[in-house]
Amino acid sequence: MNAQRGTPPDAAEQGARLGRYARALLSWYDAHRRLLPWRLDASPYRVWVSEIMLQQTRIEAVLPYFDRFMLALPTVEALAACGEDTLLKLWEGLGYYSRVRNLQKAARRLVQEFGGEIPRDYEALLSLPGIGEYTAGAVASISFGLPVPAVDGNVMRVLARLTASERDVLLPASKRWFTAVAAAMLPHDAPGAFNQAIMELGETVCLPNAEPRCSACPLAEACLARREGTARRLPVRSPKKARRVEQRTVFVCISREKEPRVLLHRRADKGLLAGLWELPNTEGWLSPGEAAARAVQQGLPASAAEPFGEGKHIFSHIEWHMRGFLIETPRVELAGDYRWVSGEELAGLYALPSAFRAFSSRLPALLYKERGLERL
Ligand code: SF4
């Protein structure tokens, strides 16, 4: 693997020093590891899907999604053949939808080029959409026993403390250095267990936000930051740029003819929440009069807009501060990517991003109450 070529001498030295404690870490992992579904059956497909789900998402949040996803799409072929709306619905609430889109793109490549098999090869894994060094390392080591490291932010935190490194973990050069340390530490007879052990240590003992539980750590003796009293301060991270705050007005348009329906809009295929269904919205905070006028401008014969609460959603670089309006209107078909959707369709087919949860969580009451099917 690339990380081992031209390993910086200080990384090789640190890796060799820490490698002497690898057995202690593996014994600790044997005794303390959590029994997670992708560990009980570590087939490459399951490990791959779990690693993609776990990006920026806590294990507890992933668990119900993982089981449901595996039940619906148990193989690479099933994932490759799944319709887009069904796929997005299975992911609804997990966020970062480009992850599941890339998962499917990769599954389609696997079907076309690898006969539906996940390749037992680090570089081939790395060539698939949505698979970076960490995920390729995790699948290669855990499912295939290949001796490659898997270094994410969690593992970097542990390594930064073990080596008392002042490197900024957000810099690519630091990631390369920590990957080289991990590669030099890695026991070649148990790479998968080792990678999972160091991840588990970061998730349960060497915790972020100045909370390391050093008294419970199997690597305490080897840890330079503990010795130097810097563990709570490490790792070093350059301050993030402040997020841009965007004010938005969200339109909850309901038509009550026959069966109640809500108006959804499909976003453009590029940019934030690309290609996803959303509640129609616009930049800026509008007054009730302006909101009703905007609806009329769009072609909806609305007479009033009633305030419908507020919501806030934090994306990685932007924060949306939203004000909602409820607009009751006759059902008019609009030009563009708009669709009137029933309660059943919303529950079973259309995935609404969690950014709209403050408003979408109230939709069942609006869409079902007329028929005595109040679901809130
Ligand atoms: Fe982390 Fe403390 Fe263990 Fe060092 S001794 S690796 S700081 S938990």
Side-chain angles (χ1 to χ4, degrees), residues 294-308:
R294 183 66 64 90
V296 171
Q297 237 175 39
Q298 281 297 122
L300 293 173
S303 52
E306 187 188 312
F308 195 64

Side-chain angles (χ1 to χ4, degrees), residues 157-163 201-202 204-207 211-227 230-232 234:
R157 177 177 63 257
V158 178
L159 294 175
R161 288 170 175 170
L162 286 171
T163 59
L201 190 73
T204 60
V205 176
C206 194
L207 297 168
E211 297 289 349
R213 296 170 48 227
C214 302
S215 57
C217 180
L219 300 181
E221 198 187 312
C223 182
L224 298 184
R226 179 175 167 271
R227 201 179 301 163
T230 53
R232 287 173 176 274
L234 293 174

Side-chain angles (χ1 to χ4, degrees), residues 36-57:
L36 301 169
W38 47 89
R39 286 182 179 161
L40 295 173
D41 169 357
S43 67
Y45 178 62
R46 291 169 64 87
V47 170
W48 170 39
V49 171
S50 70
E51 289 298 345
I52 300 296
M53 282 189 175
L54 286 164
Q55 290 168 8
Q56 284 125 342
T57 313

Side-chain angles (χ1 to χ4, degrees), residues 19-197:
R20 292 198 280 278
Y21 297 84
R23 297 289 149 201
L25 178 63
L26 289 171
S27 306
W28 170 84
Y29 179 61
D30 241 10
H32 293 90
R33 68 180 172 167
R34 292 165 294 176
L35 295 176
L36 301 169
W38 47 89
R39 286 182 179 161
L40 295 173
D41 169 357
S43 67
Y45 178 62
R46 291 169 64 87
V47 170
W48 170 39
V49 171
S50 70
E51 289 298 345
I52 300 296
M53 282 189 175
L54 286 164
Q55 290 168 8
Q56 284 125 342
T57 313
R58 288 174 306 110
I59 286 180
E60 297 71 33
V62 162
L63 284 171
Y65 283 92
F66 182 78
D67 289 338
R68 198 174 56 147
F69 197 92
M70 282 299 143
L71 212 58
L73 306 173
T75 61
V76 171
E77 285 83 359
L79 171 57
C82 181
E84 190 188 37
D85 283 336
T86 307
L87 187 67
L88 296 178
K89 193 71 193 168
L90 283 167
W91 207 264
E92 185 181 26
L94 270 179
Y96 303 99
Y97 286 82
S98 58
R99 292 183 294 172
V100 71
R101 289 213 166 96
N102 279 330
L103 204 57
Q104 187 174 54
K105 274 190 210 155
R108 289 181 174 160
R109 279 247 333 256
L110 289 172
V111 169
Q112 284 160 8
E113 295 172 28
F114 296 88
E117 296 288 321
I118 296 176
R120 196 188 180 84
D121 179 89
Y122 176 81
E123 300 294 339
L125 287 166
L126 203 52
S127 75
L128 294 168
I131 297 195
E133 286 180 1
Y134 167 76
T135 308
V139 175
S141 63
I142 297 168
S143 300
F144 296 127
L146 299 177
V148 286
V151 176
D152 64 355
N154 196 34
V155 171
M156 269 200 282
R157 177 177 63 257
V158 178
L159 294 175
R161 288 170 175 170
L162 286 171
T163 59
S165 171
E166 300 283 339
R167 288 174 175 79
D168 177 351
V169 288
L170 298 180
L171 296 177
S174 307
K175 171 99 184 268
R176 285 195 293 277
W177 190 84
F178 288 118
T179 303
V181 172
M185 272 178 89
L186 195 73
H188 283 215
D189 57 343
F194 174 83
N195 283 337
Q196 290 181 91

